[in-house]
Each structure stands twice: as C-alpha cells, then as structure tokens.
C-alpha cells in the first residue's frame, strides 16, 4: 500500500491519502466449506454487527412469462420460515431490536441484518436470519396475498410518469435481454406465479456457490468464520454460476413519446453502457462526474439548471452491472420546455464527446473524487456496501486502496477514447413521457 | 456502483411530513458527549466528536422555516435556500459549490416547516473552508434579479416534480390546509404555485435580512475534530458578523377543532389513499409531561415494526389494506398530529379501511395494549440508539433539529428514560383521549384514470421570467 500511495505525486492529495481511512480497512477474505465467498472487517467501535448475504439471484434470472418470480422469492423468504409464521418471525425479530433488510436489483438478491452484539439479542436475531435464509416455506396463502399487493403496486406505479419513463427506457435499451424485465414483474405475469415457481427459483439460485457474505462489526475473526459457515451450510445445492447473455448493442437512434397528463415531461436519453469489469470503468467514472454526475458542478446541471432554469434535477450516470448496465441522461421539465431541454442535453453531450473535458475540469474532478474518498468508507454501513460490491463483482481485495490511484491516472485522452467507445448519440434511445404533441427531433444527425 | 439517484436527492426539501416515519426516529442516538459554546454575537456552536473516520459533517442551521412565512409569499424560506448558492460580494454564483466539490466535499441544504439548514460532508482537513464560505454567505449574500429570475423557475420545476405531479403530494398538501386554518403549518414548505409565480428577488432579500443573523443561527459539527479547535475556527470566521434583532414571532395558534373534517382530492392514480390526522399534543415540558411519550408508544404499537397491529391485522390477516402506516412527531416548533394512512387492498374501499382502523383503535381504547408490545417497542428504541451512532450525519441532524425545535439536545437522554417508563395504562388513556372525531381530519385520494385526462394547463408567463 505504501508504494501505491507514493505513486501519487500531488502533494495535497498525498496528504489526504495518508490519512488512516483507506489504510486502516483490513479486509479479511476467505471461502466457506460450501464455497461461499466471505468478506470480513473487524470493528469494535460500536457494539453491533452487520451481516449481508447476496446471491446471483436478481431479476436477470426471470423469464418474460414469469417476470417477478425473482423478487417475489426474496420477498417471501421472511414471511414464513423454519416452522415460524410471518408474524412469529417479525415479532421475534422486533423483540431483539434488529433490522432486517432486502437487497434486490437486476443482478443480485440478498438479505442483510443489523443487530446488537449483546449475546441474547444477537443469538435470536441470527437464528431468525438463518432460518429465513435456509428454510423459507413460501406459504401458499401468503403468496396469494403478496401477489394481490404486488399487482396493486404495479398498477399504481404504472400511473406515474417516472415509472413509465424507466419502463420504456429499459424496454428500448434492452429489447429481449432480461435486463429489460423490471424487478416487480408485470401485473399479468405476477398473476401466474405459483408456489412451485418460488421454491424452484430458491433452490436454483440461493446456493452457497452463488453467495457473497459480508460481516462487519464487533465480533472476532473466529466468530465471523463460524457465522459464515452457519449461514451457508444449509443452503440449497443450486445451479452453477454461468455467464449471462451479453447485451446487444443498439443499431440506430429511436425516440418514443408516451402520453401522460403530468405538468412536466420526464425525459431520458441513453443506451447500454458498460460491465462492472470493463477496463474503461475509471475514465468513464471520472468523465461522467464532469458530464453529469458531479452534482451542482457538472456540465449538464450547469447548462440545464443553473444557466437556464429548465429543471430541478438533471444528471447522467453509468450503472455498470455484470453485463452492460445503462448509460443514461435524465431530467424533468415543464412540458412546453421539453424540446428546448432535450436540445440542450444533446448539445452538451455532443460538445463533451467532441472536445472532451478541459484540463481544469479533469483536475477538479480528481480533487473531488480523491479528496472525498474518506467519505466513501466513514461508516460501517458504507463499508458493508463496498464489501458487498467488491465481493459480488469479483473486484480485487485492494480495490479501495487502488481506487484513488486509478482515478489519479485518468487522462483527458483516456476519457475521450472511453466515451467515444461507449457513448454514441446515433445509437441512443430517447423517451419522453408527458411530452408535447409533436415528438422531439430524433437523435440521429 | 455509481450513484444514479444521487442527483435526485440534491437540495432535498425535508417533507412536510412523512407517513412512514416510525416512532423511534426522534429519540435515538442519545450520545450526549457534546461541547457547546455561544459566540458574543449570539451564534451557538455545538460539537460532537466522533473519531472513527477522518471525516466531518458541518451544518449551519437557521431558525427560519415556512412556519415563519406570511400569506402571499409562501415558499420564500425555501427559495432563499436556493439563492444561498448564488453568490456573495466576494464569491461568485456557483463558486460555493465548486470550492466544496474541489475539496472533495458533498453538500446540500434543506428547508422544513421549522428551519433551514446547510451542510457539507468533508475530509476533516477542509472544515475551515466550510466555515469560511458559510460565514461569508451568512453576512454577504447577493440576491440579484437576474439570478433570482432563473432560480425561481428551478423551484417551480421542483414543485411540479414533488407536488403537482404526485397525487399523494397533493393529498398531503390539501390535508394540511384542511387541518390548519390559522397556523402556518397549513401551508406547503415549497409554497403555493401562485406565490412562487409572483415572488420577487426583494422578497428573498427581505427574508435574508430578517432571519439570517448569527443570533438566529446555530453551527453543528460532528466527526473527527477537537471541540476547542472548532470553537476557535468559529470565532475566527463567524465572530465578526454583527447580530441584528430578530423580529418577534407571533404564535398564530390554531383554534380548537370542533368536529370532523373530510376532504377528497382527485388525481391520476390507480389506488385510493386514506389519511386520518388527529390534532395531538406536542412535547414542550420534557421532564414533566407524559402524554406525548404515551402517544409515541401508541404509534409504535400500531406501526413500530412488521409485527405491529396495523400491518399484522389489516394487511396480513384480514387483507383489507395493501399498506398502513402510523406516525406521530411530537418534537417541533408548531402543533403536532397523530396520523394513520393506508391504501385499501384491491376490491376494498376506503370506507372499509376506515372502519377497520377505527375498530383497531377502539380495541386499544377498550382493552389496552400488552406488556409484550411495549417491550418490543422499547427494545427497538434501545437498539436504535446504538445503530444511529454509525452515522455522524444523523447525529448532527438530530442535535440540530432538536435544538431548533426548542429542546436542548441533551434532553434526548431524558426523553429516552421517559419513553421507557410509559405504561400500558397510559397508552390506553391517550388513545381514548386524543383519537376522537372532534379533532380528526380525513383526506381521501380519489383515483382517476390516466388515459383520457387532459394535461393540466402549463403555467405560462412568469411575471419576472420574460
């Protein structure tokens, strides 16, 4: 680590990096007997423990016919397990004061627990957590009720412009790739879900070999190792981890206008972006900070909001996933300003692609990302999130230590090359919800 | 992962109220090793040292929220919050954000009914930058017509995003307007659209001159700092700012409600929503009152966890509702409400849901609550105290909001003890006493099909935006 720190020549940055935060995060890593990967940080500052376990069991494993099974499986795990009913589980969990959480996205499905480390409370909370993980019962009556609730929520969501925006955007960006399926499923597909679908999904995808366990807090390495074994020994055999279908590139620009009575148009422009393991991750990350990721100081916010007052929120992001997650630019603006705002966004992107960032922009971006590095790991919660990400996406154990070095190495030319490779306005989709009568000009030049 | 949602959180306005708020939130994190000092100009400085990581959160709070506004210029507290980023005599527009960003910082601001706050999260070595910039905009803000005319459009977009196009946002706004006829809590924090359309840069300037003075402000710093050094820095940067007299605040007390009120709001949505809001006591005497604590426990018995009564009975067992929440926030400058809100299950009506909620309340009034239920809520309060210490941001927020509400932050300890002492009989008594029809307002969202609805007419022609 010391040698890496020395590689950074800017004195001010060096001063910040020499702070103990990065160096004092000793991540311990091992595999359980059952093959689960474990990431552990011991910390005795607070008398509490965080545990999370994520599986390659996100909505990417859904099918169009049964869209929603992945999310419903995870949702029902805590609603009846190991001989306890849903109310017994929630009563016992509440009695300990522990907090049980779910994580669900296209790639991952998982559970987390935050508990006090006082013996009685921790034992009871972990006992429940393990039952939920290893012995979910998926009671049929609970499933019927949850299907009805989910259907109501989906129909409600579909009245909202922001949902219509993300749905149409995903459909157009991903076509038939399962990343285009939404995690909630559709009203029609949720209706067809059976108990067998859930037990089947659980058995296939909630296996130790597909699992990443994170433990952080006030316990010893030995206790963490024993806990990791306990968490994973009783899991199903499961399907082996296989590579996902790659995301196909778009071949042309497309624009879709969706009717909605809202006072604002919701606009999103984008395309498939990058995988989490893409070599261009850092140039794109730093470049996007300058383009639309850097809050008040990004170009998109400057042009759309600060200079013209067209929107409250305007942004761009890459969301790297196992396969290519989206690159998107989004904003909301009064309907009669939609064409103007869209033109501003397109021009801002075009300028960035042709000219790249300035030396000053790049240097300020690095100052922010590097200077603010300590903020990424200044609580147990944030550290657990980082470990879960490092584990699930198979990033090196030195990822956090290397982070600032990699950011520092990014050049203007790296950013230009990376954006030219991954961002192409001639192959982007544009969705306008609540737009004007005449569709805005298409993206192709 | 990147942070795709971070932009959406920018310059967040604290909500008027949050139905999902659980009872424990105002009471957790009671670690009172703080240091406090008041400068000669009346500026209070409170420091919470936490040395787990080399970071710091720095906040400046002003006791100026929508509660201090007048009709005709509602929303001005929040508009001023936006203008605080638009430059001073020495720092050009946008430069505040650029300097904080270049120091690796994250920043934002919030406006609520009770206060306006500005905060930066930084490496500890940059605290001085935060103080220099905050002190500068406390004293030297420039509000130009040109910058105002652009920013007021941003605020109107914010209102469209958060309220106009959010059926539940409109419902809540209308509910508050129905509950409070005299008290300023009846008006939205973001302001009525008409008031925003007619606001001028001089309205914002008046607001700034009235409230932005050190004796109406408070600094809260939490993180890897030494209190003595923070006090010295505060003296260096804020010490020379002259104080001004703060105008007298009139209470604008809400008259007693003498009968049930019902409203409905039509909006493009799929599901109806039912919200019931009872006038309830706010906590004033931390040591000697008991009823606010008992109401807090009542909210917990109803909705303190998945195991609580409303979800357990109405959602899980009887399937009358898709969701039900209860909330009661009793530490604030103005009057409190006890609220229950729910969404009927498909095929069920708001009338059925209302009857079921009333039946659950009647059960508590008649039979009381169990010791197990109380123990469960208390266990969560105790655990919450530990969990919240994980976040220095939360700790600073808690200290600031308590103090602005008029409660010494050290009284959190007392509140926790009082909460632990609540008995089942006290919970039963407050349910009987306060959850009565005479002080109840009911708001219903009446869903309308999205298709075929004409767009609301776009607001044209800003008075000052040409």
């Amino acid at each position: 680590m010391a040698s890496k720190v020395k590689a950074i020549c800017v004195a001010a940055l060096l001063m910040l990096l020499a702070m103990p935060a990065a160096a004092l995060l000793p991540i311990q890593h091992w595999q359980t007997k059952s093959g689960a990967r474990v990431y552990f940080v011991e910390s005795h500052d607070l008398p509490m423990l965080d545990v999370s376990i994520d599986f390659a069991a996100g909505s990417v494993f859904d099918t169009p016919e049964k869209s929603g099974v992945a999310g419903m499986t995870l949702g029902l795990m805590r609603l009846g397990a190991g001989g306890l009913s849903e109310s017994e589980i929630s009563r016992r969990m509440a009695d300990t004061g522990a907090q049980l959480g779910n994580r669900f996205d296209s790639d991952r499905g998982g559970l987390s627990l935050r508990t006090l480390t006082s013996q009685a409370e921790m034992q009871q909370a972990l006992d429940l957590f393990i039952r939920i993980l290893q012995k979910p019962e998926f009671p049929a009556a609970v499933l019927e009720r949850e299907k009805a609730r989910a259907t109501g929520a989906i129909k409600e969501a579909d009245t909202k412009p922001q949902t219509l925006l993300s749905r149409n955007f995903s459909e157009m960006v991903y076509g038939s790739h399962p990343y285009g399926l939404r995690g909630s499923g559709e009203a029609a597909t949720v209706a067809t879900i059976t108990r067998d679908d859930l037990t089947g999904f659980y058995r296939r995808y909630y296996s130790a070999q597909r699992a990443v366990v994170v433990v952080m807090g006030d316990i010893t390495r030995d206790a963490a190792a024993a806990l990791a074994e306990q968490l994973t020994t009783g899991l199903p055999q499961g399907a082996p981890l296989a590579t996902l279908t790659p995301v196909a590139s778009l071949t042309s620009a497309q624009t879709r206008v969706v009717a909605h009575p809202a006072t604002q148009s919701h606009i999103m422009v984008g395309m498939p972006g990058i995988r989490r393991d893409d070599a261009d991750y850092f140039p794109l990350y730093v470049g996007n900070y300058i383009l639309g990721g850097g809050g008040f100081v990004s170009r998109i916010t400057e042009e759309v909001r600060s200079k013209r007052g067209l929107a409250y929120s305007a942004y761009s992001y890459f969301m790297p996933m196992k396969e290519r997650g989206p690159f998107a630019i989004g904003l909301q603006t009064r309907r009669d300003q939609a064409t103007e705002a869209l033109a501003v966004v397109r021009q801002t992107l075009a300028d960035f692609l042709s000219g790249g960032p300035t030396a000053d922009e790049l240097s300020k971006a690095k100052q922010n990302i590097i200077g603010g590095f300590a903020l990424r790991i200044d609580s147990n919660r944030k550290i657990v999130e980082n470990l879960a990400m490092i584990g699930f996406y198979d990033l090196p154990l030195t990822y956090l230590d290397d982070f600032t070095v990699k950011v520092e190495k990014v050049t203007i030319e790296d950013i230009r090359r990376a954006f030219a490779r991954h961002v192409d306005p001639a192959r982007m989709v544009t969705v306008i919800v609540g737009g004007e009568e005449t569709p805005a000009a298409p993206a192709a030049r | 992962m990147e942070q795709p949602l971070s932009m959406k959180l920018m310059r967040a306005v604290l909500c008027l109220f949050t139905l999902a708020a659980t009872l424990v939130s105002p009471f957790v994190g009671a670690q009172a090793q703080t240091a406090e000092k008041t400068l000669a100009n009346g500026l209070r400085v409170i420091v919470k040292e936490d040395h787990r990581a080399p970071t710091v959160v720095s906040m400046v709070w002003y006791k100026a929220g929508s509660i201090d506004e007048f009709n005709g210029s509602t929303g001005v507290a929040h508009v001023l919050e936006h203008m605080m980023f638009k430059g001073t005599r020495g720092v050009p527009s946008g430069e505040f954000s650029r300097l904080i960003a270049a120091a690796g910082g994250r920043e934002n601001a919030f406006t609520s009914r009770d206060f306006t706050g500005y905060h930066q999260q930084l490496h500890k070595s940059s605290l001085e930058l935060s103080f220099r910039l905050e002190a500068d905009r406390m004293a030297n803000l420039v509000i130009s017509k040109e910058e105002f005319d652009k920013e007021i459009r941003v605020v109107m977009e914010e209102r469209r995003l958060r309220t106009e196009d959010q059926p539940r946002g409109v419902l809540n706004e209308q509910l508050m307007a129905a509950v409070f006829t005299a008290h300023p809590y009846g008006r939205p924090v973001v302001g009525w659209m008409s008031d925003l359309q007619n606001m001028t840069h001089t309205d914002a300037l008046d607001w700034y001159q009235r409230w932005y003075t050190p004796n109406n402000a408070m600094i809260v710093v939490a993180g890897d700092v030494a209190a003595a050094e923070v006090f010295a820095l505060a003296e260096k940067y804020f010490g020379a700012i002259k104080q001004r007299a703060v105008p007298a605040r009139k209470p604008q007390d809400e008259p007693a409600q003498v009968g049930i009120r019902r409203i409905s709001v039509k909006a493009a949505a799929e599901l109806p929503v039912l919200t019931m809001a009872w006038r309830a006591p706010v906590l004033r005497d931390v040591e000697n009152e008991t009823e606010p604590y008992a109401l807090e426990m009542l909210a917990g018995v109803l909705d303190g966890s998945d195991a609580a009564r409303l979800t357990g009975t109405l959602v899980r067992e009887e399937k009358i509702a898709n969701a039900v929440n209860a909330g009661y926030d009793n530490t604030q400058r103005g009057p409190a409400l006890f609220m229950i809100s729910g969404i009927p299950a498909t095929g069920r009506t708001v009338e059925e849901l209302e009857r079921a909620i009333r039946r659950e309340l009647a059960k508590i009034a008649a039979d009381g609550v169990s010791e197990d239920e109380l123990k469960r809520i208390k266990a969560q309060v105790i655990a919450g105290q530990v969990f919240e210490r994980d976040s220095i941001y939360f700790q600073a927020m808690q200290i600031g909001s308590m103090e602005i509400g008029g409660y010494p932050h050290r009284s959190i300890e007392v509140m926790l003890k009082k909460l632990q002492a609540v008995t089942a009989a006290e919970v039963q008594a407050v349910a009987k006493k306060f959850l009565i029809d005479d002080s109840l307002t009911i708001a219903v969202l009446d869903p309308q099909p999205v298709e075929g609805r004409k767009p609301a007419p776009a607001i044209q022609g800003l008075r000052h935006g040409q």
Side-chain angles (χ1 to χ4, degrees), chain A residues 6-30:
Chain A
K6 279 180 198 147
I8 294 169
C9 48
V10 184
L13 300 180
L14 186 65
M15 190 188 74
L16 295 180
L17 285 174
M19 297 302 167
L24 288 186
L25 193 59
I27 304 170
Q28 302 186 53
H29 172 54
W30 66 89

Side-chain angles (χ1 to χ4, degrees), chain A residues 270-293:
Chain A
M271 59 193 293
I274 55 163
R275 291 161 44 127
R276 192 61 186 75
D277 60 3
D278 197 293
D280 285 331
Y281 178 86
F282 282 97
L284 293 174
Y285 180 78
V286 176
N288 184 64
Y289 173 89
I290 297 163
L291 174 64

